[in-house]
Amino acid sequence: MSASLIERFDLFTIIVLGEVVVGVVNGIADAGRTPSAIVTGILGLGIGFAYWWSYFDFVAASRVRSDRGAVARWLVGHLAVTMTIAATGGIMVSMVEHVPRSPTAAPAAMLLSVSVAVGALALVLVATSLANWQSKAPVYRPVAAALVTAAAVALLLGWLAPPPWLHILLLMLTLGAVWIFGSLTWFSYARRVR
């Protein structure tokens, strides 16, 4: 797979991440710009940032193995990543609008959680297709396990359906914890390899 195609997929992912910002802004506008809607919206941006950090720190701009299965996993994984980011942005409108009502409408909460869970699992799928998946297994395997755990936590939160601001905060903290864990794992690996 050419470097230019990989770069184009990375740029497309940036564009789709803008959907989270649009969803938050539309949700705040529809909710009447109340303080609780603004705080919930800002927390929703945190989910977008956590997607951004995880994608670009763990799988972006990386060469893909040349075998057909790896290329197929890379393409399908990217499709799922961009679809779940777009779904997260779209559901942010509903989540921010439901701030005055507690708890969130169950379908909106579950849809947000499923989006985050599938997005985390799609990042694992993309990572398994990378050329350095085997050579950097001490980094990728623990990060993949953390992403699978984050997916399970996201689904549990969707089932529990806490109030919107708390739901979004907990999802943001879950994704943020994966990113921090992954970053520390990378730094530790880089120090050992020197």
Side-chain angles (χ1 to χ4, degrees), residues 39-92:
V39 168
T40 303
I42 290 170
L43 292 173
L45 288 176
I47 292 176
F49 290 138
Y51 269 130
W52 174 290
W53 297 329
S54 295
Y55 177 81
F56 283 98
D57 284 349
F58 304 138
V59 299
S62 297
R63 287 184 317 115
V64 180
R65 288 198 312 273
S66 58
D67 61 279
R68 188 174 7 173
V71 172
R73 282 195 313 275
W74 189 85
L75 289 169
V76 169
H78 270 84
L79 176 65
V81 166
T82 54
M83 285 174 42
T84 58
I85 292 171
T88 299
I91 200 65
M92 278 301 159

Side-chain angles (χ1 to χ4, degrees), residues 79-170:
L79 176 65
V81 166
T82 54
M83 285 174 42
T84 58
I85 292 171
T88 299
I91 200 65
M92 278 301 159
V93 176
S94 180
M95 293 296 285
V96 174
E97 284 177 352
H98 284 112
V99 168
R101 298 173 207 91
S102 182
T104 305
M110 186 51 89
L111 181 58
L112 178 62
S113 289
V114 168
S115 285
V116 170
V118 172
L121 295 175
L123 285 174
V124 173
L125 186 64
V126 171
T128 64
S129 69
L130 300 179
N132 58 4
W133 169 257
Q134 294 296 337
S135 63
K136 294 186 178 172
V139 174
Y140 279 119
R141 297 231 166 110
V143 172
L147 284 165
V148 170
T149 302
V153 170
L155 292 174
L156 177 64
L157 288 171
W159 180 72
L160 294 173
W165 67 270
L166 181 59
H167 189 155
I168 292 172
L169 174 65
L170 292 173

